[in-house]
């Protein structure tokens, strides 16, 4: 098992966990919330802006490991309101450029730092 931490283009973990873990041909990425890595905080206030930041963070994490969005095999989307589902769905679809990994979307009571969305992914290595 290889722990992945300190990728400069990805927000640092807000708790005692790694940004990602490589194990058995898979990359397990911790959930990304919409922290802007340059600002070190959540900048976007609407769910669309936050979704775009989350997807950019995921892309940066994958890129740092030599992977692409098309290498993602499973995604889990956490929303604080299911009313936001139709707002984020087209952004998600565009970010994956036609690739359709398995996905679950769940509503949660709250997310770290007051985020409106969090997404975690699992990607295949090589």
């Amino acid at each position: 098992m290889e722990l992945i931490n300190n990728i400069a283009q990805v927000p640092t973990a807000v708790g005692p966990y790694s940004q990602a873990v490589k194990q058995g041909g898979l990359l397990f990425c911790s959930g990304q919330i919409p922290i802007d890595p340059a600002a070190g905080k959540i900048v976007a206030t609407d769910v669309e802006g936050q979704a775009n930041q989350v997807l950019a963070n995921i892309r940066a994490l994958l890129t740092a490991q030599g992977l692409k969005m098309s290498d993602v095999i499973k995604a889990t989307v956490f929303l604080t309101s299911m009313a936001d589902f139709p707002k984020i769905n087209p952004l998600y679809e565009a970010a994956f450029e036609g690739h359709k990994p398995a996905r679950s979307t769940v509503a949660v009571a709250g997310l770290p730092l007051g985020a409106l969305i969090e997404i975690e992914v699992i990607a295949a290595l090589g």
Side-chain angles (χ1 to χ4, degrees):
M1 174 173 52
E2 179 184 349
L3 304 178
I4 309 298
N5 289 299
N6 303 320
I7 297 171
Q9 303 84 357
V10 180
T12 57
V14 296
Y17 56 86
S18 297
Q19 291 171 321
V21 175
K22 285 183 183 179
Q23 177 68 36
L26 299 173
L27 180 72
F28 297 87
C29 299
S30 292
Q32 291 294 310
I33 60 173
I35 295 174
D36 179 322
K41 62 182 181 178
I42 296 174
V43 176
T45 57
D46 64 325
V47 74
E48 294 93 343
Q50 289 193 12
N52 282 325
Q53 184 63 61
V54 166
L55 292 162
N57 292 347
I58 291 168
R59 189 176 300 106
L61 182 54
L62 293 170
T63 299
Q65 298 304 304
L67 300 172
K68 298 179 260 181
M69 297 293 271
S70 60
D71 293 310
V72 172
I73 58 174
K74 173 70 169 86
T76 306
V77 179
F78 304 93
L79 295 170
T80 57
S81 172
M82 283 305 271
D84 290 332
F85 184 81
K87 296 175 187 175
I88 65 98
N89 220 30
L91 303 172
Y92 176 96
E93 186 175 21
F96 279 95
E97 300 176 336
H99 176 61
K100 295 180 180 179
R103 182 178 88 177
S104 302
T105 303
V106 295
V108 296
L111 291 167
L113 305 178
L116 303 174
I117 183 171
E118 178 175 352
I119 302 175
E120 66 181 22
V121 298
I122 301 169
L125 299 167

